[in-house]
Amino acid sequence: MKNRRSRSFKKELIYSFLTIGLTSIILLGIFQYFQLSSLIEDNQDSQTKVTEFLEDNIEGYMEQHGRIIETMSTSIAPLLENNQPDKVEEKLRDIKHNYPGFVNLYVGDKDGKSLVFYPRSYTDGATREHLDFSDRSYYKELLETNEQVISHVFHGRGGTDTLLVAIVSPIFGSDGKMEGYILGAIDLNALENYVSTRITGEASYAVLLDQDNNVIVHPDVNTRTEMVNLTNSKTVQKITDQENQSMNSLTIKDEGKEKEFITYAKIRELGWTVWIANPSTLINKPLRSATKTILWFIPITALVVVLASVFLTNRLGRTIRNLLDTIKRYTTSYKTNLPVELAERIQGPQEMTDLLTHFNDMMSEIEENRVELMELNSELEARVHERTSNLERRNAELQAVNQLITPVSSKMDLPHFIQLCLNSIKQSVPFNVHIWFREIAVTCEKIYSDNSLQQYLKTNVHGTNHHMEPIVLDGLPSGYLIVDLQDEQTIKPKEQAFLQTFSRSLAIMLQNKLLFERYRNKHAELDAVLESMSEGVMLLNNDHEVEYVNEFFLNVIDGDGTNVPLGRLSDVLDRINVLFEITGEELASFFNGEASELKLENKTKSGNTDFYMLHKFSVVSDEKKIGEGLLIRDITKEEEIDTLKNNLISLTSHEFKTPITNIRGSVETLLREDVEWEQDFQHELLEGVHEDIERIQHLVDDWMDISKIESGSMYIERNMVRADHVIEKSIELVPITLKEGATLTFHNKAEDYLFFYADKTRVQQVLVNLFTNALRYNDHPRKQIHITLEKKEKYLTIAVSDNGIGISKEHLQKIFNRFYQVDVTATRRSGGTGLGLSICEGIMEAHEGKIEVDSKPGEGSTFTLYFPIREGS
């Protein structure tokens, strides 16, 4: 491939001048183009703002007229009720006078018939009254919505025959029902004049369409008589296509029209569409004119620049050619070592002569400097080589020490950590290096434990000599770096300095490692203590951000399992407000320091109530508060104990008081010396005393049973018993007074006699308790109890069903609680203690069985006992 021939200096200058001139013109043209484009965009933005302004004005115009119609509907209502049409007409006349935008107004009844017109006469002078407008779409929409309606464009009748837009508001009577309506017909010519006054520009025009795309304002449409729908026009279709987009402008060419730039807006409250159109040719005219000017200016400028550059380059080229001839002669003489005759001047400017003189001086200096540079270069190469060797060795040592900076948080134990450090310097040290540290000896290959320093040196260091560097921790040597020197090996001062640096660095790393291990162990201990606490703990910093929270606290705060993140104190307060029944004042009082503790109650989904006590404390370090903590305790058991204690006191005071009072009264009666009682009366009193003592004994037995159940010491003497005999005996043990008027039916569904291991006495105690409850809590005139015995899989079941008062769902889970009474009034009436079912449950659990209940209020209850059947029973 041939080399391209270089252009002459003359051509280069001409091309340069031409390039500069044309580039300037083109850049100026581009700048002018963008300036005009920006002006066009500003005009388009201005048109968009005018459209938005027009939208606001039209909406305000209609809103103002709609408001006066709605206001007048309220004031006309009492006039219609009082049949005062003259005053109604006076009201309409005031509206027409103050708001000339209405062409006419009328008031109609609820059936769509006009009552009062204003003005009364047609545009042709004729008067009309009592017209039926019930076929109008605005009337039908008014009946459906009972709210103000703005109609689409329609032909008027009854007051005018021109096109109208109606504003209709309902008139409500004193009973709140629609009694009629008031209608104001908007004058479209007045609206068109209102719109046209807000449009500027010679060729600009505005278009306004109603919700059905009927023309309200259009320069080409006579809106007085001509009703035109533009749904199928290109402009409306294009606007509809862009309805869900952010654009509010378009350029379009309709049939028979030039291309136009349109900005539009949707009046959302009315459903109307408004746009302003401008011919595109008028908008782009300045840009086209500027482009033509630039295109004519470019060739004229090019011609002028070429002529000027030819003149200038001819003059400058002669001078440069003379200078080049002189330099060529000088170069030839320099190469042949011949003397050079240098002219003092050359033809051309003085600067060219000065340039030649300086060039001669420069060549002399270059030759002198070249010789000196060669000498300096040789010396510099030797120094660089020596310095490079030193830097490479130093870099290797620094890399080895740098590798010691391993993360002390590593899970690696201490011996392997030391071995890792040794391996990091293996390439930098040409010796066998050992580390002995606190009875542990480490090499690059092995780890030795339980070795004293003397013992290790004797058994594992085999060189003719060795060098030791201490590893100092807390000012005392805790280990040594041992260099095992073989035959003729010596340590140079630089190598010794490196070993000393390494031992000090290793000491620092070991110190950090030991401190970290100690900190990690302490942290793990503290973590274990906090996580195993039976109280919840949360720690917050001074910015009320959560730093730590244990599992107990999380389980309480996130009791509903929503896994809400707890990043700040505000999150905790939100959860407390959601979970617990507490007021904002109580919460604010606690966190503001006015209360030392806060009691929280949480009702669970099962219907139980959990109680917690929340405490707050400050976290202080070095006499400076670094945060605060929250401690939450579960005090549900304590609350239950308090409740049980109160129930026990209440029960004792009530259940013991009655029999003791009876006994005391009977004894005091028998001890009276002034009266001689008959034998039958004395016997009757003593029987009452005996019954009251049995009642007290029964209460004591119940409390003893509960105590045994709670302590787990209830003794069950199991024997093989026959199930049907136990049931029949239990029926006999029910007091006769309770069985009066009741029917107890035993259904034995077992195929054969059923035997099971149980404490007969305790089983009878359970059954008698169930029979007694079924009879006591039964208001049916014919009390019935059905006892069913059957075998279900591995269980013997006894079901006791009654037709009593039943138990509601919210009480079913609580009836086996101690002292729990479903109906306090019924319980007191029957002398219940609230311990019976709890004792029954404890006896069943002692038999490794269970008791279940199914009940509906008003239909009765069924208690089912499950006794496990052992193999061979």
Side-chain angles (χ1 to χ4, degrees):
M1 183 178 178
K2 296 183 178 180
N3 294 330
R4 291 184 59 189
R5 186 177 178 182
S6 300
R7 289 194 295 262
S8 65
F9 182 71
K10 179 180 179 179
K11 289 183 179 180
E12 194 69 37
L13 285 177
I14 292 173
Y15 290 153
S16 298
F17 287 146
L18 187 60
T19 302
I20 292 171
L22 293 178
T23 302
S24 301
I25 295 300
I26 292 171
L27 290 176
L28 182 61
I30 293 173
F31 174 75
Q32 185 70 15
Y33 177 83
F34 281 109
Q35 212 172 23
L36 291 173
S37 298
S38 177
L39 180 61
I40 292 172
E41 291 179 1
D42 290 343
N43 289 337
Q44 292 176 347
D45 291 341
S46 176
Q47 183 175 327
T48 301
K49 292 179 180 178
V50 171
T51 305
E52 294 172 354
F53 172 75
L54 184 58
E55 173 199 0
D56 293 339
N57 275 269
I58 293 172
E59 186 174 6
Y61 182 89
M62 294 302 294
E63 183 180 355
Q64 181 184 25
H65 286 72
R67 192 182 300 115
I68 188 61
I69 292 296
E70 186 171 4
T71 302
M72 195 56 63
S73 67
T74 304
S75 60
I76 286 176
L79 300 179
L80 287 180
E81 289 183 350
N82 297 326
N83 195 19
Q84 297 176 313
D86 293 338
K87 291 188 177 181
V88 171
E89 183 177 0
E90 183 179 346
K91 293 281 187 180
L92 296 182
R93 182 172 61 252
D94 291 341
I95 296 176
K96 182 69 174 68
H97 176 74
N98 293 321
Y99 294 89
F102 290 114
V103 65
N104 59 35
L105 302 101
Y106 80 86
V107 174
D109 61 15
K110 62 182 178 180
D111 296 323
K113 295 180 180 179
S114 63
L115 298 176
V116 180
F117 258 102
Y118 187 84
R120 293 185 177 183
S121 62
Y122 260 139
T123 52
D124 58 2
T127 59
R128 298 294 167 87
E129 293 181 350
H130 305 294
L131 297 179
D132 187 358
F133 293 101
S134 61
D135 60 332
R136 291 294 196 187
S137 59
Y138 59 76
Y139 173 74
K140 296 176 182 179
E141 185 178 353
L142 185 69
L143 291 181
E144 292 178 0
T145 62
N146 278 341
E147 295 179 354
Q148 188 179 79
V149 175
I150 297 178
S151 74
H152 54 73
V153 175
F154 62 93
H155 283 285
R157 74 168 185 261
T160 178
D161 56 359
T162 62
L163 293 178
L164 302 171
V165 171
I167 302 176
V168 189
S169 286
I171 300 174
F172 296 105
S174 57
D175 57 355
K177 296 182 179 180
M178 192 181 89
E179 298 296 335
Y181 63 94
I182 176 173
L183 179 144
I186 297 295
D187 187 348
L188 298 191
N189 288 331
L191 181 58
E192 183 175 6
N193 293 335
Y194 180 82
V195 171
S196 62
T197 58
R198 283 153 178 79
I199 301 298
T200 60
E202 298 178 359
S204 300
Y205 67 89
V207 175
L208 179 63
L209 306 181
D210 68 5
Q211 57 267 44
D212 294 332
N213 293 325
N214 297 316
V215 172
I216 300 175
V217 175
H218 196 293
D220 300 332
V221 177
N222 182 4
T223 55
R224 292 188 60 83
T225 58
E226 186 178 0
M227 185 168 180
V228 178
N229 187 278
L230 295 182
T231 300
N232 296 324
S233 70
K234 288 185 179 179
T235 304
V236 173
Q237 290 178 355
K238 192 71 174 176
I239 291 173
T240 303
D241 293 339
Q242 295 183 178
E243 187 170 358
N244 295 325
Q245 302 178 14
S246 59
M247 299 190 309
N248 59 356
S249 64
L250 55 92
T251 302
I252 195 167
K253 185 178 186 309
D254 246 329
E255 295 181 5
K257 292 185 178 181
E258 60 179 325
K259 185 182 288 187
E260 294 178 326
F261 175 74
I262 294 175
T263 54
Y264 63 89
K266 279 284 189 178
I267 306 176
R268 301 296 178 186
E269 295 294 329
L270 305 175
W272 293 3
T273 305
V274 60
W275 75 70
I276 298 176
N278 255 326
S280 296
T281 55
L282 185 65
I283 296 175
N284 298 326
K285 183 177 180 181
L287 183 61
R288 291 197 300 272
S289 299
T291 304
K292 291 179 181 179
T293 302
I294 292 170
L295 292 177
W296 277 105
F297 196 63
I298 287 175
I300 295 173
T301 302
L303 180 61
V304 172
V305 170
V306 169
L307 294 175
S309 61
V310 168
F311 173 75
L312 294 174
T313 54
N314 285 335
R315 183 180 178 188
L316 185 60
R318 288 192 298 269
T319 304
I320 293 175
R321 194 175 297 110
N322 291 335
L323 178 60
L324 288 175
D325 292 341
T326 302
I327 292 173
K328 287 179 181 178
R329 291 196 303 271
Y330 179 83
T331 304
T332 302
S333 301
Y334 181 77
K335 290 181 179 179
T336 57
N337 294 322
L338 296 176
V340 179
E341 293 181 2
L342 185 63
E344 294 182 0
R345 293 180 62 84
I346 59 175
Q347 187 178 0
Q350 178 64 36
E351 287 79 1
M352 293 298 176
T353 301
D354 295 340
L355 179 62
L356 183 62
T357 303
H358 286 301
F359 179 78
N360 186 50
D361 295 339
M362 183 182 66
M363 292 302 294
S364 299
E365 290 180 5
I366 287 174
E367 182 62 24
E368 294 175 1
N369 292 335
R370 185 174 68 86
V371 176
E372 294 179 1
L373 184 61
M374 294 294 289
E375 295 175 354
L376 290 174
N377 187 55
S378 299
E379 183 180 354
L380 182 61
E381 285 181 355
R383 292 183 180 180
V384 168
H385 184 268
E386 180 183 0
R387 183 63 177 168
T388 302
S389 300
N390 292 334
L391 288 175
E392 287 178 350
R393 186 180 66 256
R394 185 62 177 168
N395 184 56
E397 294 174 355
L398 289 175
Q399 286 182 352
V401 174
N402 187 55
Q403 289 179 6
L404 289 178
I405 310 175
T406 57
V408 295
S409 61
S410 170
K411 296 181 180 180
M412 192 180 299
D413 59 12
L414 186 63
H416 287 89
F417 177 78
I418 297 174
Q419 193 174 58
L420 176 66
C421 296
L422 270 180
N423 285 319
S424 68
I425 66 166
K426 187 175 182 179
Q427 302 298 326
S428 303
V429 180
F431 310 112
N432 292 328
V433 180
H434 306 245
I435 301 291
W436 181 89
F437 183 79
R438 295 182 178 177
E439 307 298 329
I440 298 173
V442 181
T443 66
C444 291
E445 296 80 18
K446 294 184 178 181
I447 296 174
Y448 304 89
S449 59
D450 299 328
N451 275 305
S452 65
L453 179 60
Q454 296 300 327
Q455 180 184 358
Y456 183 75
L457 290 174
K458 184 178 179 180
T459 57
N460 294 286
V461 178
H462 305 295
T464 57
N465 196 6
H466 62 267
H467 176 80
M468 299 174 61
E469 291 291 342
I471 300 173
V472 179
L473 272 66
D474 298 327
L476 297 174
S478 299
Y480 292 92
L481 184 149
I482 306 168
V483 181
D484 191 1
L485 298 173
Q486 304 299 322
D487 295 337
E488 298 181 357
Q489 277 188 324
T490 58
I491 299 177
K492 297 178 182 179
K494 291 183 178 180
E495 294 171 339
Q496 183 175 358
F498 170 69
L499 292 173
Q500 290 174 350
T501 302
F502 177 75
S503 66
R504 288 193 292 269
S505 300
L506 181 60
I508 294 171
M509 293 301 297
L510 291 175
Q511 180 75 41
N512 292 340
K513 178 69 174 176
L514 293 173
L515 289 174
F516 175 76
E517 292 295 334
R518 190 180 310 162
Y519 166 78
R520 184 164 63 179
N521 293 337
K522 290 292 184 182
H523 187 270
E525 292 174 4
L526 180 60
D527 236 5
V529 169
L530 291 175
E531 290 298 330
S532 61
M533 287 178 61
S534 59
E535 291 87 12
V537 176
M538 172 177 283
L539 301 179
L540 307 161
N541 59 25
N542 286 329
D543 295 327
H544 292 158
E545 296 173 343
V546 177
E547 294 288 346
Y548 172 82
V549 57
N550 69 355
E551 186 175 358
F552 185 93
F553 201 103
L554 281 176
N555 291 338
V556 173
I557 295 299
D558 194 24
D560 51 4
T562 54
N563 294 323
V564 175
L566 300 177
R568 298 186 59 83
L569 177 61
S570 57
D571 299 332
V572 181
L573 298 182
D574 291 341
R575 291 299 300 160
I576 291 176
N577 277 325
V578 170
L579 292 175
F580 302 105
E581 297 181 355
I582 189 169
T583 64
E585 291 77 8
E586 292 175 324
L587 205 56
S589 174
F590 172 73
F591 281 99
N592 291 334
E594 299 175 10
S596 60
E597 58 186 25
L598 183 65
K599 185 177 179 181
L600 305 174
E601 297 183 20
N602 177 30
K603 289 190 176 180
T604 63
K605 294 180 180 179
S606 61
N608 297 326
T609 302
D610 293 335
F611 296 90
Y612 297 93
M613 187 66 72
L614 185 64
H615 303 270
K616 184 177 68 171
F617 58 91
S618 297
V619 181
V620 180
S621 177
D622 296 330
E623 299 182 356
K624 181 181 178 182
K625 182 181 178 182
I626 61 174
E628 59 185 5
L630 299 176
L631 186 142
I632 190 166
R633 293 190 303 110
D634 187 349
I635 60 170
T636 304
K637 288 295 182 182
E638 299 174 18
E639 290 292 325
E640 289 178 355
I641 291 172
D642 284 344
T643 302
L644 291 176
K645 180 182 68 176
N646 295 334
N647 288 341
L648 179 61
I649 293 172
S650 175
L651 182 66
T652 303
S653 62
H654 183 275
E655 296 298 331
F656 273 88
K657 184 176 181 181
T658 301
I660 290 175
T661 302
N662 292 340
I663 293 172
R664 181 177 179 179
S666 298
V667 172
E668 288 178 348
T669 300
L670 292 174
L671 290 176
R672 288 182 59 181
E673 296 180 355
D674 57 335
V675 180
E676 184 175 346
W677 306 108
E678 295 180 359
Q679 188 69 25
D680 292 339
F681 180 72
Q682 293 178 6
H683 183 72
E684 181 182 350
L685 290 179
L686 290 175
E687 282 184 348
V689 170
H690 183 264
E691 290 177 359
D692 289 331
I693 292 173
E694 282 187 344
R695 182 177 178 183
I696 294 173
Q697 182 64 44
H698 179 69
L699 291 174
V700 173
D701 290 342
D702 283 351
W703 292 337
M704 292 295 292
D705 286 342
I706 281 293
S707 177
K708 291 175 182 179
I709 291 171
E710 287 296 317
S711 64
S713 61
M714 172 171 278
Y715 176 69
I716 299 296
E717 185 178 351
R718 297 190 185 187
N719 291 294
M720 185 67 74
V721 296
R722 183 170 160 179
D724 54 343
H725 288 178
V726 173
I727 295 172
E728 292 169 353
K729 182 61 177 177
S730 300
I731 295 174
E732 295 176 1
L733 294 176
V734 178
I736 297 175
T737 55
L738 286 176
K739 291 192 289 185
E740 290 180 358
T743 302
L744 282 77
T745 307
F746 175 38
H747 306 279
N748 190 349
K749 294 185 179 181
E751 296 178 357
D752 200 356
Y753 298 126
L754 283 179
F755 291 86
F756 65 105
Y757 282 101
D759 187 326
K760 181 179 179 181
T761 303
R762 290 296 185 181
V763 173
Q764 290 176 350
Q765 181 181 350
V766 173
L767 291 173
V768 170
N769 188 283
L770 295 179
F771 297 159
T772 304
N773 286 345
L775 293 171
R776 283 179 175 172
Y777 303 108
N778 194 325
D779 295 333
H780 200 279
R782 298 181 61 185
K783 300 178 182 179
Q784 293 183 356
I785 300 177
H786 296 275
I787 304 100
T788 304
L789 172 66
E790 58 184 324
K791 181 179 180 182
K792 293 182 180 180
E793 297 179 353
K794 296 182 179 181
Y795 288 95
L796 179 149
T797 64
I798 303 173
V800 180
S801 302
D802 63 62
N803 61 345
I805 61 176
I807 305 170
S808 60
K809 186 177 180 180
E810 62 268 19
H811 295 298
L812 280 178
Q813 299 298 325
K814 302 177 182 179
I815 59 175
F816 295 104
N817 295 345
R818 289 170 294 169
F819 302 107
Y820 189 80
Q821 298 168 345
V822 176
D823 184 351
V824 176
T825 303
T827 304
R828 290 302 178 215
R829 180 187 64 195
S830 60
T833 64
L835 297 175
L837 289 178
S838 180
I839 294 172
C840 290
E841 184 181 43
I843 293 173
M844 292 305 298
E845 289 176 354
H847 281 83
E848 301 176 2
K850 59 183 177 179
I851 180 170
E852 294 180 351
V853 60
D854 182 24
S855 181
K856 291 184 179 179
E859 297 182 11
S861 306
T862 299
F863 287 83
T864 306
L865 307 178
Y866 290 81
F867 293 94
I869 301 177
R870 295 185 179 181
E871 293 295 331
S873 62

